[in-house]
Amino acid sequence: MPAQQKKMIFCTAGVLSFACALGTAAAVGTQLWVKGTILCKTGALLVNATGQELEKFIGEIQYGLFYGERVRQCGLGGRPFQFSFFPDLLKVIPASVHVSVILFCTVLVVFALVGAGFFMFNAFGSPYETLHGPVGLYLWSFIACCCGCLIMILFSSEVKIHHLSEKIANFKEGSFTFKTHSEQFANSFWIILVCSLVQFLNALLIRFAGFEFPFSKSKDSGTTTAAVDLMY
């Protein structure tokens, strides 16, 4: 492939990787990871609410990795309540899983920035033989893609398996019990999915630029090595 086309491919991959880092950093700081509604089960049972009457007992909840907000509905109007995971909810949530999600988000940002830098270096500079060359480009993209997948798996398990929304909804609630009525992943969660796909796309762009997978060896090189060994 001509050098000019390789530069264009590397520049494109670098811009995508940099955008991935910025998107992940922005997503981490928002509370748009999960949106849902919560039902005041105790209040609905007290008045035996059914049909449209249940709407008076359905509140809203949305949260991210650090903070969130819920609107408490128990038949007397909405009462908003803001909360933060650190340090308020540490005893309620699965702290190890939650901290792991934040850690992998940080790693994703770091390696996306590193990958963007090396893509640009390979586009406009003279790459070295090892980590500055195709091996490094595959490595940074692979690590960033894996981190994105781990973020989605861990956060999904935290929300669905550990019932994170219900634990947040029942935080500091004495006599009332809340149950998740509906919940869905919001924009920030899908940004992580897009970033993972971008890193996978970068690996395809490296291959499209003409670089073989760094851990594969061609048959010609093996034949040449064997011939050289026979000479000596």
Side-chain angles (χ1 to χ4, degrees):
M1 179 178 290
Q4 192 66 25
Q5 293 184 14
K6 286 186 178 181
K7 287 184 177 181
M8 292 297 297
I9 291 175
F10 286 140
C11 287
T12 302
V15 170
L16 290 175
S17 188
F18 184 73
C20 175
L22 292 182
T24 303
V28 170
T30 67
Q31 61 178 16
L32 300 176
W33 284 70
V34 174
K35 286 185 177 181
T37 56
I38 50 176
L39 172 65
C40 182
K41 187 177 179 180
T42 304
L45 289 175
L46 285 175
V47 299
N48 196 20
T50 58
Q52 294 183 352
E53 295 177 349
L54 282 175
E55 295 181 359
K56 297 181 180 180
F57 298 92
I58 296 177
E60 298 178 353
I61 186 172
Q62 66 175 13
Y63 55 90
L65 299 181
F66 293 98
Y67 61 97
E69 183 179 5
R70 76 182 186 194
V71 178
R72 185 174 180 269
Q73 287 270 16
C74 287
L76 299 175
R79 297 182 180 181
F81 174 75
Q82 294 183 349
F83 57 88
S84 60
F85 285 93
F86 304 98
D88 298 339
L89 296 172
L90 278 181
K91 295 181 179 180
V92 180
I93 65 173
S96 59
V97 179
H98 198 77
V99 172
S100 298
V101 172
I102 298 174
L103 177 62
F104 282 118
C105 285
T106 305
V107 176
L108 174 58
V109 173
V110 170
F111 278 95
L113 289 175
V114 170
F118 281 114
F119 274 118
M120 291 301 181
F121 185 83
N122 278 270
F124 299 104
S126 299
Y128 296 114
E129 289 292 333
T130 56
L131 294 182
H132 292 70
V135 176
L137 297 180
Y138 280 114
L139 181 63
W140 313 133
S141 300
F142 176 75
I143 293 176
C145 183
C146 289
C147 287
C149 294
L150 287 173
I151 291 168
M152 291 186 294
I153 293 172
L154 290 175
F155 189 74
S156 298
S157 66
E158 187 179 6
V159 174
K160 299 298 183 180
I161 298 177
H162 295 279
H163 306 289
L164 183 60
S165 299
E166 286 189 6
K167 291 181 178 179
I168 294 174
N170 290 284
F171 177 64
K172 289 186 177 180
E173 291 291 342
S175 56
F176 288 93
T177 302
F178 290 87
K179 184 179 180 181
T180 302
H181 186 262
S182 66
E183 63 181 358
Q184 59 184 359
F185 294 109
N187 297 337
S188 296
F189 180 84
W190 300 118
I191 288 176
I192 302 298
L193 174 61
V194 172
C195 290
S196 301
L197 295 177
V198 165
Q199 297 301 326
F200 181 75
L201 176 62
N202 284 345
L204 295 180
L205 289 177
I206 300 169
R207 181 64 186 88
F208 184 72
F211 286 131
E212 297 289 344
F213 194 72
F215 305 108
S216 63
K217 296 182 180 180
S218 62
K219 296 181 179 180
D220 295 339
S221 61
T223 305
T224 304
T225 305
V228 171
D229 292 338
L230 289 175
M231 291 177 63
Y232 295 95

